[in-house]
Amino acid sequence: LTPERYPVERLPFSTVSEEDLAAFECIIPGRVITDPEQVQTCNVDWLKTVRGSSTVLLRPQTSEEVSQILRHCYKRNLAVNPQGGNTGMVGGSVPVFDEVILSTALMNRVISFHDVSGILVCQAGCVLEELSRYVQERDFIMPLDLGAKGSCHIGGNVATNAGGLRFLRYGSLRGTVLGLEVVLADGTILNCLTSLRKDNTGYDLKQMFIGSEGTLGVITAVSIVCPPRPKAVNVAFLGRSAGCPGFTEVLQTFRTCKGMLGEILSAFEFMDAECMQLVGQHLHLTNPVRAVTSSTQEEPSLSGDQEERGSNSESPFYVLVETSGSSAGHDAEKLTSVLEQVLNSGLVTDGTMATDQRKVQMLWALRERITEALSRDGYVFKYDLSLPVERLYDLVTDLRTRLGPRAKHVVGYGHLGDGNLHLNVTAEAFSQELLGALEPYVYAWTAEQRGSVSAEHGLGFKKKNVLGYSKPPVAVKLMQQLKAMLDPKGILNPYKTLPAQA
Ligand code: FAD
Ligand code: MLT
Ligand code: ZN
């Protein structure tokens, strides 16, 4: 960590001693990792923008082991960094200094699954994609999906209150998570792992840990309700040709989709032309509604403007619309009517539709892999904002003018259906000057719209000082009091989520 980029001072925690290592070895024999190479991968975040200097990685398998580890750390005043799949976007998943890394990677057991209720109970370290496979084999799906599914853990998802690609249809983890088991800072095991849909006995404590980013406790098990697997999934990928200014039409397309597709609409994602250019340039993905929309497609492809089709014009916006329902014919018919409507009314000019799994995945990859394409483009300044949907793209255009050639790319994409913009700026390398042009400007702009400075990624290390843009001082103070009550020594993920107290 460069001090000028992230000015932060180490708090007076103890440092790990030989005796501590011996104590850990007693609790989890053979799973105390001190090999520098192995520890190093857990010290660096996915974006490679922050790096800690921990020397020890602990890999417990049970809640009891997590409890004993935390009891020891609490007694010894050792700081702890809970870590799941290390795919977090805000620097919360890696140590800032020499915090002990407590990984859930070996806590990957499914505890139970009920095929009537769809309720899954599992350990926190289960990888999301593996859980998806597990429940799909039983005719259910996970209520959340994200581009990081192959690495992220369900415990990490809950700890960040991840949103993702199915939020529009299945809602927040605050609704689908039914129960949690959490180990508190002093090692106490809080077992709220119920599988009840309704339970109004006292305060809903699990909500405190959902989205708490490892600062209030270590989530060790999760009970979550899974929806039935939809029998039919259709995806349409739509674009507007260059020359059509556009975002208003994107919003009208969303309105049309909501109105005509009703309950079968399961995603409405958008990306701009620069995103498309980047997935093409860095990942060699092909734009399916430019040049490709021809007789080579086995799925129906549509175009409202034959002149544009096959030409090299760039669409200023693309949207991905997904339906999930129970009747393949009926759903395809509905989506086709929507496409006809939006093409005929000129809201979009090009489109392609997929029902077979291979093409559905190919279309989804264009949207899901933007993050990866951006990370190959250079240093990425990442913003994850909730905004009134009608103003969702204004900041992107505004910043293009404001930053000029200082930025390599200024892009906008995200979960339009949830009012969630991902605004990303790339540059050859980190630059303090560019950062100064972006912050606090982006946060103040967002606050002016009464938006949120973190829609779904959390605050972690990088955004903890901007909490005040989206929450009043009384709320921030209450959060600090809660933290002090649950973790009086402040050992759990210090330097994260909450601004440092004066
Ligand atoms: P980590 O990154 O390991 O940790 C994240 C935070 O949670 C840290 O503060 C950590 O200390 C804490 N934590 C982890 N496990 C626990 C635990 N068991 N108990 C307590 N605290 C814990 N996010 C979205 O919301 N929506 C998206 O669509 C989305 N797409 C992504 C796509 C890509 C390609 C990538 C790389 C990331 C994406 N993310 C997205 C961000 C990230 O994947 C999510 O935040 C995810 O939920 C993090 O899970 P993880 O297991 O990797 O947690
Ligand atoms: C996404 O929606 O792709 C993720 O939240 C990751 C990102 O913001 O890049
Ligand atoms: Zn997202």
Side-chain angles (χ1 to χ4, degrees), residues 89 165 367-368 371 382 413 415 422 424 456-457:
M89 300 268 101
L165 309 164
R367 164 62 189 88
E368 282 186 45
T371 317
K382 253 187 185 296
Y413 59 100
H415 317 288
H422 292 315
N424 285 224
E456 59 171 9
H457 293 165

Side-chain angles (χ1 to χ4, degrees), residues 78-396:
L78 286 169
V80 177
N81 175 199
Q83 189 175 84
N86 193 12
T87 65
M89 300 268 101
V90 286
S93 54
V94 294
V96 178
F97 296 99
D98 56 347
E99 299 89 282
V100 170
I101 304 172
L102 197 165
S103 163
T104 52
L106 300 182
M107 302 182 70
N108 54 4
R109 221 167 27 84
V110 169
I111 297 166
S112 65
F113 182 74
H114 289 279
D115 56 9
V116 175
S117 62
I119 296 167
L120 169 77
V121 181
C122 64
Q123 283 189 299
C126 292
V127 171
L128 180 59
E129 193 167 47
E130 282 165 20
L131 289 178
S132 281
R133 244 193 309 270
Y134 179 92
V135 298
Q136 274 190 36
E137 282 162 11
R138 290 154 180 83
D139 249 357
F140 285 82
I141 58 167
M142 292 301 286
L144 80 160
D145 184 27
L146 34 146
K149 58 182 145 258
S151 307
C152 64
H153 297 183
I154 190 71
N157 299 148
V158 173
T160 54
N161 188 24
L165 309 164
R166 290 185 184 152
F167 189 99
L168 177 73
R169 174 70 169 273
Y170 301 110
S172 162
L173 286 171
R174 295 199 180 279
T176 50
V177 170
L178 303 180
L180 289 180
E181 180 189 66
V182 180
V183 180
L184 303 179
D186 66 359
T188 305
I189 299 179
L190 171 69
N191 187 339
C192 288
L193 199 59
T194 74
S195 291
L196 303 170
R197 295 300 299 266
K198 300 177 86 174
D199 177 14
N200 277 355
T201 50
Y203 305 131
D204 189 358
L205 294 178
K206 70 172 180 291
Q207 296 295 349
M208 223 164 41
F209 298 96
I210 301 176
S212 68
E213 304 182 76
T215 61
L216 299 181
V218 177
I219 297 164
T220 45
V222 176
S223 163
I224 188 165
V225 62
C226 301
R229 181 182 187 170
K231 293 197 174 50
V233 175
N234 296 300
V235 168
F237 197 86
L238 312 173
R240 279 185 62 74
S241 304
C244 305
F247 198 70
T248 315
E249 286 77 6
V250 172
L251 293 177
Q252 280 174 24
T253 305
F254 178 44
R255 221 176 133 179
T256 308
C257 286
K258 275 209 293 191
M260 290 178 72
L261 297 170
E263 75 292 344
I264 65 166
L265 179 65
S266 53
F268 193 98
E269 297 284 319
F270 94 104
M271 59 197 273
D272 63 17
E274 282 194 55
C275 290
M276 182 62 86
Q277 190 208 317
L278 289 169
V279 294
Q281 182 187 335
H282 296 297
L283 308 173
H284 311 292
L285 303 183
T286 324
N287 180 346
V289 294
R290 196 193 65 177
V292 189
T293 45
S294 69
S295 54
T296 55
Q297 297 287 301
E298 72 277 19
E299 296 285 347
S301 75
L302 306 148
S303 177
D305 182 350
Q306 298 297 324
E307 303 260 291
E308 285 296 334
R309 181 194 265 191
S311 77
N312 265 348
S313 58
E314 266 295 357
S315 165
F317 294 106
Y318 298 89
V319 300
L320 185 151
V321 184
E322 186 192 72
T323 63
S324 304
S326 54
S327 161
H330 170 262
D331 293 0
E333 208 175 290
K334 265 185 146 176
L335 188 56
T336 307
S337 312
V338 169
L339 298 195
E340 278 166 9
Q341 164 81 17
V342 293
L343 283 161
N344 292 338
S345 58
L347 289 179
V348 305
T349 52
D350 305 275
T352 181
M353 201 174 125
T355 49
D356 89 88
Q357 218 195 339
R358 196 185 50 81
K359 191 172 172 199
V360 164
Q361 278 173 359
M362 188 268 280
L363 294 178
W364 262 115
L366 291 161
R367 164 62 189 88
E368 282 186 45
R369 298 185 65 193
I370 297 170
T371 317
E372 192 184 334
L374 284 161
S375 71
R376 294 183 190 204
D377 198 54
Y379 186 89
V380 190
F381 296 88
K382 253 187 185 296
Y383 301 94
D384 161 40
L385 313 167
S386 269
L387 289 166
V389 76
E390 61 282 2
R391 305 240 31 210
L392 203 73
Y393 201 71
D394 291 358
L395 184 56
V396 182

